[in-house]
Amino acid sequence: MNYGILTAALAGFGSGLSLIVAIGAQNAFVLRQGARRHAVLAVVAICAVSDAVLIALGVAGVGVFVTAWPAALTVVGLAGGGFLICYGVLAARRVLRPTPGAALTTEGTTSGSARRAVLTALAMTWLNPHVYLDTVLLLGSLAADRGDLRWAFAGGAVLASLTWFAGLGYGARLLSGLLARPAAWRVLDGLVAATMVTMGGLLLARA
């Protein structure tokens, strides 16, 4: 067994997990979808595969390009900040004007709602500058320090992302009993609204 590869992979797993477990817009969305049992596989797959692509780009050296052209993050910051605020306003609207029986609708979806879930997951990932900072820049830089073992480090980080999103999406079902109560959904939506509006405002302020 090559302990160097194993050590690099474990370091990548720990680093990746420490960056993605923080409460944020993407995690809040995956949690909500998991609790509703709504397009969970698609949402988890989009988040995990997107992370894998971005981590690979970071390890391959794209982080150097983004660092040399800061305007790229500014553009993404403006777009992402606006998107997060809009999504937060929609969540706040659900708190103030809840849909009767919506909390109990955890089984079955229409093709339209599934498409909306997929598009939202894509936007939450690719319009979120924090995702680029965490995957492309931070993990890319950490992987570069591993030299020839950088891809083992990247593999560990990709596994951490897959483990986290799968656990969050499917583990949320354990809360389905609690979230069958309309009041619980209003609390969750309130937290989602506060998180997204705050993060969106911060992104716009820093852009």
Side-chain angles (χ1 to χ4, degrees), residues 88-176:
V89 169
L90 292 177
R93 183 181 179 184
R94 289 195 298 267
V95 175
L96 299 175
R97 301 174 62 182
T99 302
L104 301 177
T105 308
T106 57
E107 299 289 351
T109 61
T110 64
S111 59
S113 62
R115 283 195 295 270
R116 286 194 295 272
V118 167
L119 291 174
T120 301
L122 288 170
M124 287 287 184
T125 300
W126 294 95
L127 290 180
N128 185 354
H130 289 292
V131 172
Y132 295 92
L133 291 173
D134 291 345
T135 56
V136 177
L137 295 179
L138 295 180
L139 288 177
S141 298
L142 291 173
D145 291 338
R146 296 281 168 172
D148 293 338
L149 296 176
R150 61 186 182 280
W151 289 108
F153 180 94
V158 169
L159 180 59
S161 176
L162 175 60
T163 300
W164 171 253
F165 286 120
L168 190 64
Y170 289 99
R173 295 183 179 185
L174 299 176
L175 302 175
S176 59

Side-chain angles (χ1 to χ4, degrees), residues 61-74 133 136-137:
V62 176
V64 176
F65 168 76
V66 176
T67 301
W69 190 47
L73 285 180
T74 299
L133 291 173
V136 177
L137 295 179

